[in-house]
Amino acid sequence: MTYVEHSSDALDLAAAGAGLTDVEAVWADYVNSPKIRKLSLSPHEAIFYEGDPADHIYELAGGSVMLYKLLPDGRRQVVEILKEGDLFGFQRGRNYDCTAETLSGVELRALNRRDIDVSLSLQRYIGERMFAKMESLHEHAMLLGRKSAMERVASYLMRFVPGRGTADCTGPAEDIEVDDGMIELSMTRQEIADFLGLTIETVSRAISELKRRGLIRIEKQDRILIPRICNLCRLTGMH
Amino acid sequence: MTYVEHSSDALDLAAAGAGLTDVEAVWADYVNSPKIRKLSLSPHEAIFYEGDPADHIYELAGGSVMLYKLLPDGRRQVVEILKEGDLFGFQRGRNYDCTAETLSGVELRALNRRDIDVSLSLQRYIGERMFAKMESLHEHAMLLGRKSAMERVASYLMRFVPGRGTADCTGPAEDIEVDDGMIELSMTRQEIADFLGLTIETVSRAISELKRRGLIRIEKQDRILIPRICNLCRLTGMH
DNA sequence: CGTGGATTTGATGAACATCAATTAGAGTGG
DNA sequence: CCACTCTAATTGATGTTCATCAAATCCACG
């Protein structure tokens, strides 16, 4: 008896030839295979609602998506902000535990739980992504439970600076004298507030305060220039 | 060519005989196999520290464990409270992203990443557990970001009432007239506060308030009686 | 140019943190 | 068994931060 029943197609076989550890290549092969259904969505469109039967798993191929939960009285908490490459829609139970809504124009790939369940490499790829996501959920718990409003907003802005503001960030490259960055906010103040556990007004005040202190400059509404990244990073509470 | 390289031992083969979907049986076989190293720990002992090289994965076989993160100035956020059967120590990177500390006497099983990486069934089992954990992290984000102090404490107490207080809770069984429960708190006020994003004093005041209102009764320090579970549950903000 | 929603700003209030003191409980040694 | 000690927990007084309520301003879009 062989283990053929573990794989529905040639993906793992190809991977075995390429070296077992290259799960990312297997994943790329899988999601680019013609049987994967692709979807395009407009900004602020719901993908699924909290409580809906969890019948699909998605990969975000482009754009950004938020996941949020609601309390019966309407209070909202955005629990994840997803970016290209992120996976969502996995559930333990029969129903989604949160609502998924697009923040921008979005390209999705709808995956089949069945394909994934029978491939070791796909499982491993997903595992890797899940562990990363758990770390970012831990970080977010720290933000929500223990950071001040200003620290939350600074941390939020730092999210969008690639490669900076993480635990292992070592500051700017040494040979660089200007350490600035331009970031793009695709979320409204309400969405940011619901992500940070604050109100619109508190978020707005914190951003104004950063402007006043010269730590950020607003160019054209939702484009923000950070003149000295390290200065902003120091306000996150993490360094 | 077969897929034999996907499995280091007979676990999956046995599972195939028993039906592919019974990943829990495969897991049970694995963790009970003699090669799994077992550990016993006393209360309030560190298992690993944030930043340590992530060289082990653990299954909590008995007792309870908390995971927490620290900010440089000492602020602490407890990000998970683990109970029997929970897995922890998975990391995306090279190092643990939080500290693990026992809350009670604890029995652990130290697992090998290598064993798991080559078994589809074990991967799938872990995936299931991770999805459940992500849901509880979402729930916790809601608590930290949007609930009042009283709602947080009520939610915390409800955690320890088996089968109640969850989203799909339908209340007590219909044929029952007394709906009470006894719970055991194994955490200090400081640990509870750091889990709920509050201070010791606020937690203490909330508990006193619940006592005053007759919603709980303290028996012998860390044993709490809940006379009418639904009454407490109503304070969680979820119904 | 005008309209309507989003954002900002201001004034006030409530919830929770902080600081300080007291009490309760668990463990210890006489 | 009972005082003693030490820490955890409670309670009280005050302060700070952020939420709430209200108004003004900005900006995108027709």
Side-chain angles (χ1 to χ4, degrees):
Chain A
M1 161 154 213
T2 69
Y3 288 87
V4 167
E5 76 278 9
H6 285 176
S7 193
S8 61
D9 55 29
L11 288 171
D12 279 352
L13 190 55
L20 187 59
T21 51
D22 194 6
V23 292
E24 277 163 42
V26 178
W27 182 262
D29 279 355
Y30 172 61
V31 298
N32 290 314
S33 64
K35 67 171 170 174
I36 299 297
R37 191 163 51 91
K38 294 191 183 63
L39 296 127
S40 288
L41 297 168
S42 320
H44 296 281
E45 203 171 332
I47 301 164
F48 51 74
Y49 292 95
E50 188 175 344
D52 279 358
D55 43 11
H56 286 96
I57 295 165
Y58 298 97
E59 186 187 52
L60 182 50
S64 63
V65 165
M66 66 174 171
L67 304 183
Y68 63 78
K69 288 173 74 75
L70 292 169
L71 289 177
D73 63 3
R75 281 175 286 176
R76 181 171 77 159
Q77 180 64 47
V78 174
V79 297
E80 295 189 39
I81 300 174
L82 306 173
K83 54 184 193 320
E84 200 169 316
D86 280 336
L87 304 167
F88 62 104
F90 293 99
Q91 295 299 140
R92 174 167 171 79
R94 217 165 294 287
N95 303 93
Y96 293 119
D97 74 321
C98 39
T99 300
E101 198 177 301
T102 60
L103 289 168
S104 61
V106 154
E107 301 295 318
L108 289 182
R109 288 192 261 258
L111 312 179
N112 296 315
R113 185 70 191 249
R114 210 162 302 247
D115 296 337
I116 292 166
D117 276 351
V118 294
S119 162
L120 176 63
S121 294
L122 298 182
Q123 285 284 325
R124 283 184 58 190
Y125 178 79
I126 290 171
E128 292 297 318
R129 305 298 304 223
M130 289 297 130
F131 302 149
K133 205 183 284 286
M134 294 233 325
E135 290 185 31
S136 84
L137 287 170
H138 289 166
E139 191 62 49
H140 197 222
M142 171 59 91
L143 179 145
L144 293 171
R146 288 303 182 207
K147 289 191 183 179
S148 71
M150 181 57 87
E151 288 171 334
R152 294 183 202 197
V153 170
S155 301
Y156 175 77
L157 295 176
M158 286 302 298
R159 278 178 70 93
F160 300 101
V161 183
R164 300 292 289 281
T166 55
D168 57 344
C169 174
T170 55
E174 303 218 348
D175 55 342
I176 281 181
E177 68 282 355
V178 289
D179 180 37
D180 60 355
M182 177 73 84
I183 64 178
E184 202 105 8
L185 299 188
S186 57
M187 292 168 80
T188 66
R189 292 287 183 274
Q190 185 63 65
E191 288 157 355
I192 296 170
D194 286 346
F195 180 60
L196 299 179
L198 300 170
T199 58
I200 289 187
E201 294 94 329
T202 301
V203 171
S204 182
R205 273 184 252 270
I207 289 177
S208 298
E209 171 72 14
L210 289 173
K211 247 187 297 184
R212 210 169 308 124
R213 290 208 240 162
L215 289 160
I216 62 173
R217 274 211 308 277
I218 312 289
E219 332 250 302
K220 213 168 142 354
Q221 190 65 347
D222 55 355
R223 291 171 64 80
I224 293 183
L225 177 76
I226 308 169
R228 282 292 286 146
I229 294 175
C230 272
N231 286 354
L232 182 63
C233 197
R234 247 172 244 125
L235 296 183
T236 61
M238 295 190 293
H239 309 293
Chain B
M1 163 154 209
T2 69
Y3 289 87
V4 169
E5 76 279 8
H6 285 177
S7 194
S8 61
D9 55 29
L11 288 171
D12 278 353
L13 192 54
L20 188 59
T21 51
D22 193 6
V23 292
E24 276 162 43
V26 177
W27 182 262
D29 279 354
Y30 172 61
V31 298
N32 290 314
S33 63
K35 67 171 170 175
I36 299 295
R37 190 161 54 89
K38 293 191 184 65
L39 296 126
S40 286
L41 296 167
S42 320
H44 295 282
E45 204 170 330
I47 300 165
F48 52 73
Y49 292 95
E50 188 174 343
D52 280 357
D55 44 10
H56 286 96
I57 294 165
Y58 299 97
E59 187 188 51
L60 182 51
S64 63
V65 165
M66 66 175 170
L67 304 183
Y68 63 78
K69 288 173 75 72
L70 292 170
L71 290 176
D73 63 3
R75 280 175 287 176
R76 182 171 76 160
Q77 180 63 47
V78 174
V79 296
E80 294 189 38
I81 300 174
L82 306 173
K83 56 184 192 319
E84 201 169 315
D86 280 337
L87 303 168
F88 62 104
F90 293 99
Q91 294 300 140
R92 174 166 171 79
R94 218 167 292 290
N95 304 93
Y96 293 119
D97 74 321
C98 40
T99 300
E101 199 178 300
T102 60
L103 289 168
S104 61
V106 154
E107 303 293 318
L108 289 182
R109 288 192 261 258
L111 312 179
N112 296 316
R113 184 72 191 249
R114 210 162 302 247
D115 295 338
I116 292 166
D117 276 351
V118 296
S119 162
L120 176 64
S121 294
L122 298 183
Q123 285 284 325
R124 283 184 58 190
Y125 178 79
I126 290 171
E128 292 297 319
R129 303 299 303 223
M130 289 298 130
F131 302 149
K133 205 182 283 287
M134 294 231 327
E135 289 185 31
S136 84
L137 286 170
H138 290 166
E139 191 62 50
H140 197 222
M142 171 59 91
L143 179 146
L144 292 172
R146 289 301 182 208
K147 288 190 183 180
S148 71
M150 181 57 88
E151 287 171 334
R152 295 183 202 197
V153 170
S155 301
Y156 175 77
L157 295 176
M158 286 302 298
R159 279 179 68 94
F160 301 100
V161 182
R164 301 292 289 282
T166 55
D168 56 344
C169 173
T170 55
E174 304 219 347
D175 55 342
I176 280 181
E177 70 282 351
V178 289
D179 179 36
D180 60 356
M182 176 73 84
I183 63 179
E184 200 106 8
L185 300 187
S186 56
M187 291 167 81
T188 65
R189 291 288 184 272
Q190 184 64 66
E191 287 157 355
I192 296 170
D194 286 346
F195 180 60
L196 299 180
L198 300 170
T199 58
I200 289 186
E201 294 94 329
T202 302
V203 171
S204 183
R205 273 184 252 268
I207 290 177
S208 297
E209 172 71 15
L210 289 173
K211 247 187 297 185
R212 210 169 307 126
R213 290 207 240 160
L215 290 160
I216 61 173
R217 275 212 307 276
I218 312 289
E219 332 251 301
K220 212 166 141 355
Q221 191 64 347
D222 54 355
R223 291 171 64 81
I224 294 183
L225 178 77
I226 307 168
R228 280 293 286 145
I229 293 176
C230 273
N231 286 354
L232 182 63
C233 197
R234 247 172 246 126
L235 296 182
T236 61
M238 294 190 293
H239 309 293

mmCIF file of all heavy atoms in Angstrom, chain B residues 154-168:
data_model
loop_
_atom_site.group_PDB
_atom_site.id
_atom_site.type_symbol
_atom_site.label_atom_id
_atom_site.label_comp_id
_atom_site.label_asym_id
_atom_site.label_seq_id
_atom_site.Cartn_x
_atom_site.Cartn_y
_atom_site.Cartn_z
ATOM 1 N N ALA B 154 -16.705 39.488 33.681
ATOM 2 C CA ALA B 154 -17.776 38.496 33.510
ATOM 3 C C ALA B 154 -17.384 37.492 32.429
ATOM 4 O O ALA B 154 -17.569 36.282 32.602
ATOM 5 C CB ALA B 154 -19.088 39.196 33.143
ATOM 6 N N SER B 155 -16.820 37.967 31.338
ATOM 7 C CA SER B 155 -16.390 37.065 30.264
ATOM 8 C C SER B 155 -15.316 36.113 30.767
ATOM 9 O O SER B 155 -15.303 34.926 30.425
ATOM 10 C CB SER B 155 -15.833 37.870 29.080
ATOM 11 O OG SER B 155 -16.814 38.747 28.577
ATOM 12 N N TYR B 156 -14.421 36.654 31.570
ATOM 13 C CA TYR B 156 -13.347 35.820 32.122
ATOM 14 C C TYR B 156 -13.911 34.689 32.972
ATOM 15 O O TYR B 156 -13.534 33.530 32.815
ATOM 16 C CB TYR B 156 -12.389 36.678 32.945
ATOM 17 C CG TYR B 156 -11.330 35.881 33.643
ATOM 18 C CD1 TYR B 156 -10.233 35.385 32.953
ATOM 19 C CD2 TYR B 156 -11.432 35.588 34.998
ATOM 20 C CE1 TYR B 156 -9.262 34.632 33.584
ATOM 21 C CE2 TYR B 156 -10.465 34.841 35.653
ATOM 22 C CZ TYR B 156 -9.381 34.366 34.937
ATOM 23 O OH TYR B 156 -8.436 33.605 35.561
ATOM 24 N N LEU B 157 -14.830 35.027 33.845
ATOM 25 C CA LEU B 157 -15.423 33.999 34.705
ATOM 26 C C LEU B 157 -16.163 32.962 33.867
ATOM 27 O O LEU B 157 -16.084 31.762 34.133
ATOM 28 C CB LEU B 157 -16.364 34.641 35.730
ATOM 29 C CG LEU B 157 -15.691 35.557 36.741
ATOM 30 C CD1 LEU B 157 -16.727 36.220 37.644
ATOM 31 C CD2 LEU B 157 -14.677 34.799 37.595
ATOM 32 N N MET B 158 -16.849 33.424 32.844
ATOM 33 C CA MET B 158 -17.624 32.501 31.999
ATOM 34 C C MET B 158 -16.729 31.506 31.237
ATOM 35 O O MET B 158 -17.186 30.423 30.875
ATOM 36 C CB MET B 158 -18.496 33.286 31.016
ATOM 37 C CG MET B 158 -19.717 33.946 31.639
ATOM 38 S SD MET B 158 -20.832 32.797 32.467
ATOM 39 C CE MET B 158 -21.344 31.740 31.111
ATOM 40 N N ARG B 159 -15.485 31.900 30.983
ATOM 41 C CA ARG B 159 -14.532 30.971 30.345
ATOM 42 C C ARG B 159 -14.459 29.638 31.047
ATOM 43 O O ARG B 159 -14.178 28.606 30.436
ATOM 44 C CB ARG B 159 -13.100 31.535 30.433
ATOM 45 C CG ARG B 159 -12.703 32.550 29.442
ATOM 46 C CD ARG B 159 -11.272 32.983 29.736
ATOM 47 N NE ARG B 159 -10.305 31.936 29.494
ATOM 48 C CZ ARG B 159 -9.637 31.772 28.367
ATOM 49 N NH1 ARG B 159 -9.825 32.591 27.378
ATOM 50 N NH2 ARG B 159 -8.782 30.786 28.229
ATOM 51 N N PHE B 160 -14.625 29.674 32.369
ATOM 52 C CA PHE B 160 -14.385 28.472 33.155
ATOM 53 C C PHE B 160 -15.656 27.676 33.418
ATOM 54 O O PHE B 160 -15.631 26.684 34.124
ATOM 55 C CB PHE B 160 -13.697 28.847 34.474
ATOM 56 C CG PHE B 160 -12.384 29.538 34.235
ATOM 57 C CD1 PHE B 160 -12.285 30.912 34.326
ATOM 58 C CD2 PHE B 160 -11.269 28.803 33.872
ATOM 59 C CE1 PHE B 160 -11.074 31.545 34.079
ATOM 60 C CE2 PHE B 160 -10.062 29.426 33.612
ATOM 61 C CZ PHE B 160 -9.958 30.810 33.713
ATOM 62 N N VAL B 161 -16.747 28.138 32.845
ATOM 63 C CA VAL B 161 -17.995 27.381 32.939
ATOM 64 C C VAL B 161 -18.097 26.540 31.672
ATOM 65 O O VAL B 161 -18.281 27.077 30.587
ATOM 66 C CB VAL B 161 -19.218 28.312 33.050
ATOM 67 C CG1 VAL B 161 -20.484 27.500 33.199
ATOM 68 C CG2 VAL B 161 -19.050 29.291 34.205
ATOM 69 N N PRO B 162 -17.969 25.226 31.793
ATOM 70 C CA PRO B 162 -17.908 24.388 30.593
ATOM 71 C C PRO B 162 -19.174 24.497 29.750
ATOM 72 O O PRO B 162 -20.286 24.455 30.269
ATOM 73 C CB PRO B 162 -17.757 22.961 31.147
ATOM 74 C CG PRO B 162 -17.576 23.086 32.617
ATOM 75 C CD PRO B 162 -17.929 24.464 33.036
ATOM 76 N N GLY B 163 -18.974 24.680 28.451
ATOM 77 C CA GLY B 163 -20.092 24.653 27.506
ATOM 78 C C GLY B 163 -21.008 25.851 27.542
ATOM 79 O O GLY B 163 -22.039 25.871 26.880
ATOM 80 N N ARG B 164 -20.634 26.895 28.286
ATOM 81 C CA ARG B 164 -21.514 28.060 28.376
ATOM 82 C C ARG B 164 -20.741 29.324 28.005
ATOM 83 O O ARG B 164 -19.518 29.362 28.084
ATOM 84 C CB ARG B 164 -22.075 28.197 29.797
ATOM 85 C CG ARG B 164 -22.867 27.001 30.247
ATOM 86 C CD ARG B 164 -24.179 26.857 29.477
ATOM 87 N NE ARG B 164 -25.132 27.878 29.836
ATOM 88 C CZ ARG B 164 -25.869 27.871 30.937
ATOM 89 N NH1 ARG B 164 -25.748 26.900 31.799
ATOM 90 N NH2 ARG B 164 -26.724 28.839 31.167
ATOM 91 N N GLY B 165 -21.481 30.346 27.637
ATOM 92 C CA GLY B 165 -20.876 31.630 27.352
ATOM 93 C C GLY B 165 -20.288 31.752 25.964
ATOM 94 O O GLY B 165 -19.779 32.794 25.597
ATOM 95 N N THR B 166 -20.370 30.682 25.201
ATOM 96 C CA THR B 166 -19.867 30.746 23.829
ATOM 97 C C THR B 166 -20.937 31.343 22.918
ATOM 98 O O THR B 166 -22.083 31.530 23.329
ATOM 99 C CB THR B 166 -19.502 29.338 23.324
ATOM 100 O OG1 THR B 166 -20.635 28.506 23.474
ATOM 101 C CG2 THR B 166 -18.346 28.764 24.131
ATOM 102 N N ALA B 167 -20.548 31.628 21.691
ATOM 103 C CA ALA B 167 -21.472 32.253 20.750
ATOM 104 C C ALA B 167 -22.704 31.374 20.518
ATOM 105 O O ALA B 167 -23.818 31.872 20.380
ATOM 106 C CB ALA B 167 -20.757 32.533 19.430
ATOM 107 N N ASP B 168 -22.490 30.083 20.511
ATOM 108 C CA ASP B 168 -23.587 29.171 20.188
ATOM 109 C C ASP B 168 -24.269 28.605 21.429
ATOM 110 O O ASP B 168 -24.975 27.612 21.352
ATOM 111 C CB ASP B 168 -23.076 28.033 19.295
ATOM 112 C CG ASP B 168 -21.923 27.292 19.947
ATOM 113 O OD1 ASP B 168 -21.337 27.828 20.909
ATOM 114 O OD2 ASP B 168 -21.602 26.183 19.499
#
